[in-house]
Amino acid sequence: MNYGEMVKELNELLGLKGSPVAVKLVENADEIPDGYKKMDEKKRHCEFVQDARLKGNKGYATSEEHLCKGGAGVMGIETLPESVATGSMYYKLGNFETAEGALETVNAIPKARKNNYASIYAPLESAEFDPDVVVLILTPKQALKVSQSLLRKKGGRISSDYSGIQSLCADAVAAVKERGIPNMTLGCNGSRKFAQIADEEVIIGLPPENLEDIVEALKVFKEKWG
């Protein structure tokens, strides 16, 4: 797939801010592409995504580089901390009225089924690997166009499965990789605070094989609707 040409067309058709982000979860160190280095500072998964999107950063992060252990945990890079796995952290933070509600929510959060060594990041147009997921950070109007594009060929509905926590890690990456279908999410307190996802932005995670249909549909919409 020619990702460079696709990103060029997506930018022309949608007017993206920054790049779509290629994300891949790998089980072993020998799956890291040549030339990719460990991230040089510890950050959260959502921050690594934003750095690839807005700064063009490439690299990979093992459990050592992931500051947010909840994010690393749902992606299978390390064991979920007990406070996250039981929901007690979110209950104490005031997200939920009861501990039972917190536990029910975290049990339902999408999680990687395999143990992984690292997560890899790059702007899609310059990724030297086949991503598991492409993360788009969009305005609602752009997300509408992408949603319409996803449905043009076969119809149906767009999944938007989220709980307001662990958004770019669980909702936009783990859910999409495990289910093989797109998912739209609204961000979370952490991603909006630390990765500075803007108030007017939403997130869509896509299987990369959907990109070609999106671009083709957007071209048709431009021709028909202007």
Side-chain angles (χ1 to χ4, degrees):
M1 212 178 273
N2 186 340
Y3 293 124
E5 186 60 33
M6 281 192 177
V7 171
K8 181 180 177 182
E9 290 182 309
L10 281 172
N11 280 328
E12 290 173 355
L13 293 161
L14 287 177
L16 298 176
K17 178 182 177 181
S19 297
V21 178
V23 180
K24 188 175 184 67
L25 303 178
V26 295
E27 296 178 55
N28 303 294
D30 57 11
E31 296 177 70
I32 303 294
D34 291 341
Y36 279 67
K37 298 179 180 179
K38 275 189 178 184
M39 296 299 186
D40 57 10
E41 56 183 316
K42 296 181 179 182
K43 287 190 175 184
R44 297 156 181 83
H45 162 76
C46 50
E47 293 178 285
F48 292 136
V49 170
Q50 278 282 61
D51 287 347
R53 174 198 178 204
L54 300 176
K55 300 178 183 178
N57 288 10
K58 297 181 181 182
Y60 70 95
T62 67
S63 60
E64 186 178 341
E65 288 74 48
H66 275 278
L67 267 185
C68 175
K69 301 308 182 183
V74 295
M75 294 189 296
I77 296 170
E78 59 181 83
T79 303
L80 269 175
E82 184 179 358
S83 62
V84 177
T86 62
S88 65
M89 181 181 79
Y90 296 113
Y91 175 56
K92 290 175 183 176
L93 285 171
N95 290 66
F96 301 94
E97 185 175 339
T98 67
E100 291 78 14
L103 178 59
E104 182 175 348
T105 302
V106 297
N107 282 343
I109 287 173
K111 303 170 185 70
R113 285 176 284 189
K114 294 181 179 179
N115 294 328
N116 291 302
Y117 169 71
S119 49
I120 313 174
Y121 307 89
L124 180 62
E125 65 270 22
S126 58
E128 290 91 357
F129 57 90
D130 290 323
D132 293 321
V133 178
V134 175
V135 178
L136 299 175
I137 299 175
L138 307 167
T139 66
K141 186 174 181 180
Q142 291 168 334
L144 168 63
K145 290 182 179 181
V146 170
S147 300
Q148 291 169 328
S149 300
L150 284 164
L151 299 181
R152 183 175 182 271
K153 184 171 281 189
K154 296 181 179 178
R157 302 281 291 177
I158 298 295
S159 172
S160 185
D161 175 35
Y162 64 92
S163 59
I165 55 177
Q166 295 184 284
S167 180
L168 270 80
C169 48
D171 299 345
V173 173
V176 177
K177 176 176 169 59
E178 295 299 335
R179 299 170 184 171
I181 58 173
N183 192 41
M184 184 161 63
T185 182
L186 297 183
C188 56
N189 293 350
S191 61
R192 292 195 180 274
K193 176 180 179 181
F194 297 109
Q196 298 179 337
I197 302 295
D199 288 354
E200 66 276 10
E201 291 176 330
V202 299
I203 304 99
I204 297 181
L206 298 166
E209 55 266 26
N210 290 153
L211 288 168
E212 194 168 347
D213 286 345
I214 290 171
V215 170
E216 290 308 309
L218 287 170
K219 289 178 181 176
V220 172
F221 296 156
K222 183 178 181 180
E223 182 180 336
K224 288 184 177 293
W225 302 340

